[in-house]
Amino acid sequence: MTDTAPGSTPDTAPGTARDPAPGPAPAPDPEQLLEDPGTAAEALGTMWRIRLFEEAVEDLYGRGMMHGTMHLSIGMEAVPTGTCSNLEEGDQITSTHRGHGHCIARGADLGRMMAELLAKDNGYCRGRGGSMHIADVATGNLGANGIVAGGVPIAAGAGLTNQLTGNGRVAVCFHGDGAVGEGAWHEALTLASMWQLPVVFVCENNQYGMSMSAQKAFKVENLAAKAAGYGIPGESVDGNDVHAVAEVTRRAIDRARSGGGPSLVEAVTYRWRGHSKSDKNRYRTKEEIAEWKEKDPIAAYAHRLLGAGTLDQGRLDAVQADARTAIREAVVVGTQGEEPDPAALLDAVCAPSAVDATDTRDGGTALTAGATTDDAEAGR
């Protein structure tokens, strides 16, 4: 008997993709990031929006306007920008607890993002998700995840859906180096490789899983080498070079879209800030941080575009200014957003059911979302 996934049929079994459905126009060639002024300006603008959004968020947090914690990706902007430049309409991503950049690179509305982080009702998740749980299905963002490696099996599931329906879509799974040591990561890559799912696993190796150095956590020089254990391609790339990231992820995405199965891409980068706002950075030196700041992906990309004559200094300045204006507008939307109604807090906790309907026994007691039959009995 042939093994199939639940609900599949022999001709749609995992590993046997249907003919891809006609899709949207292909993403631009990675070379356009260096040669086409419009494409280059858009990529640079994305990187600036990510950087400035997170700097604004950090400021709001410092002023006590944002609760909980946050995980900033300042210094890592090239990875989501280069990767998402290759995605087409309908493609999906799964994100991480350090996911602001993924959301922005995939086209999220900055105002709704800021409102979500400020716990406003006009946020993406009506203020209930906050920094670590933003989702935007309209742009293919299946959600950030506060669980390390939590998005990896979700991406495999999206890939399975894409394969069985033959929709021609690709799922990209962003995850950190710490996720590589999780069981969920192994399970998802095992299934994805066995079933040849259209998934690209993008490991953002920012050198530390919380305070644990990746060099101490794994007995391999490059995490991309782990792909060999699953029989899939693995490639390591300079994660601070947006063009290089775009080139490598484009090959992996094209391979997945054409039925070639999953790949693992390791983007070697660095987070300038601590793991979270409570991190005192006692496990690394100021000199190490300063050394990586010299490899600033935004400055490096702007310098390259200027040297190639793709963008002049005036255009570079304008791109940065436009991004700054966009972030200021997002802060206004967020800070002036609607406060959530406490009465609606449980609306998304329980799905509507017969229990919510009016109980007509002995005159009846209407149950609201989140209530139970015991609540009704107690009210009699």
Side-chain angles (χ1 to χ4, degrees):
M1 179 176 178
T2 302
D3 291 334
T4 60
S8 63
T9 59
D11 64 342
T12 59
T16 308
R18 293 178 178 175
D19 292 336
D29 187 281
E31 291 306 309
Q32 293 188 31
L33 291 173
L34 299 178
E35 300 172 357
D36 178 66
T39 305
E42 177 57 32
L44 184 63
T46 298
M47 295 172 74
W48 270 122
R49 287 190 292 274
I50 295 171
R51 172 77 56 87
L52 296 174
F53 181 92
E54 294 208 309
E55 289 181 350
V57 165
E58 189 174 35
D59 177 66
L60 291 170
Y61 182 90
R63 288 193 275 161
M65 298 176 66
M66 198 167 290
H67 304 289
T69 189
M70 69 185 67
H71 306 78
L72 302 176
S73 63
I74 295 174
M76 301 167 54
E77 297 86 358
V79 183
T81 302
T83 301
C84 291
S85 71
N86 292 312
L87 296 181
E88 300 175 356
E89 183 181 355
D91 289 339
Q92 308 110 335
I93 67 167
T94 59
S95 185
T96 71
H97 55 279
R98 201 179 309 281
H100 303 150
H102 310 145
C103 295
I104 294 171
R106 196 65 184 114
D109 181 274
L110 297 173
R112 292 186 66 190
M113 279 187 67
M114 192 65 73
E116 183 61 33
L117 269 65
L118 291 168
K120 303 294 186 178
D121 199 57
N122 56 323
Y124 267 109
C125 302
R126 299 188 65 187
R128 292 158 170 78
S131 174
M132 290 190 286
H133 300 96
I134 294 178
D136 182 17
V137 178
T139 62
N141 181 356
L142 302 184
N145 206 304
I147 300 172
V148 175
V152 186
I154 295 174
L160 179 60
T161 296
N162 297 340
Q163 184 188 80
L164 295 180
T165 60
N167 60 25
R169 297 174 180 174
V170 172
V172 169
C173 172
F174 291 103
H175 63 80
D177 48 281
V180 178
E182 294 288 334
W185 187 87
H186 165 73
E187 293 165 355
L189 266 75
T190 296
L191 288 176
S193 60
M194 284 170 42
W195 292 343
Q196 290 288 89
L197 301 181
V199 184
V200 177
F201 299 95
V202 178
C203 174
E204 296 177 303
N205 182 357
N206 60 21
Q207 310 304 309
Y208 292 96
M210 295 190 69
S211 60
M212 172 59 74
S213 168
Q215 295 179 357
K216 296 179 180 179
F218 303 101
K219 201 66 175 178
V220 290
E221 183 175 349
N222 297 311
L223 295 181
K226 285 184 168 287
Y230 303 91
I232 64 176
E235 191 167 356
S236 184
V237 63
D238 179 359
N240 284 3
D241 183 338
V242 66
H243 174 251
V245 171
E247 281 191 318
V248 172
T249 55
R250 181 56 171 265
R251 287 195 291 270
I253 290 169
D254 285 351
R255 180 175 182 273
R257 202 183 305 279
S258 64
S263 303
L264 172 63
V265 174
E266 176 195 19
V268 181
T269 183
Y270 195 81
R271 53 171 168 81
W272 294 6
R273 303 295 194 265
H275 167 71
S276 67
K277 294 305 295 180
S278 61
D279 188 346
K280 303 301 182 183
N281 276 319
R282 293 174 178 168
Y283 50 89
R284 55 183 183 171
T285 65
K286 294 180 179 178
E287 291 76 16
E288 177 183 304
I289 297 173
E291 180 181 348
W292 275 93
K293 284 186 176 181
E294 290 295 320
K295 305 173 184 178
D296 181 354
I298 296 179
Y301 185 41
H303 179 75
R304 190 171 182 182
L305 294 174
L306 185 63
T310 306
L311 299 179
D312 59 24
Q313 189 61 53
R315 186 72 183 278
L316 294 176
D317 293 342
V319 168
Q320 182 179 359
D322 289 346
R324 193 174 300 279
T325 298
I327 300 307
R328 286 173 177 163
E329 292 173 351
V331 171
V332 171
V333 172
T335 55
Q336 296 182 359
E338 309 141 24
E339 295 293 337
D341 180 3
L345 183 62
L346 298 179
D347 285 356
V349 175
C350 299
S353 70
V355 176
D356 299 317
T358 299
D359 184 348
T360 58
R361 295 174 297 171
D362 301 326
T365 300
L367 300 184
T368 58
T372 66
T373 52
D374 289 338
D375 295 327
E377 294 297 331
R380 294 192 192 284

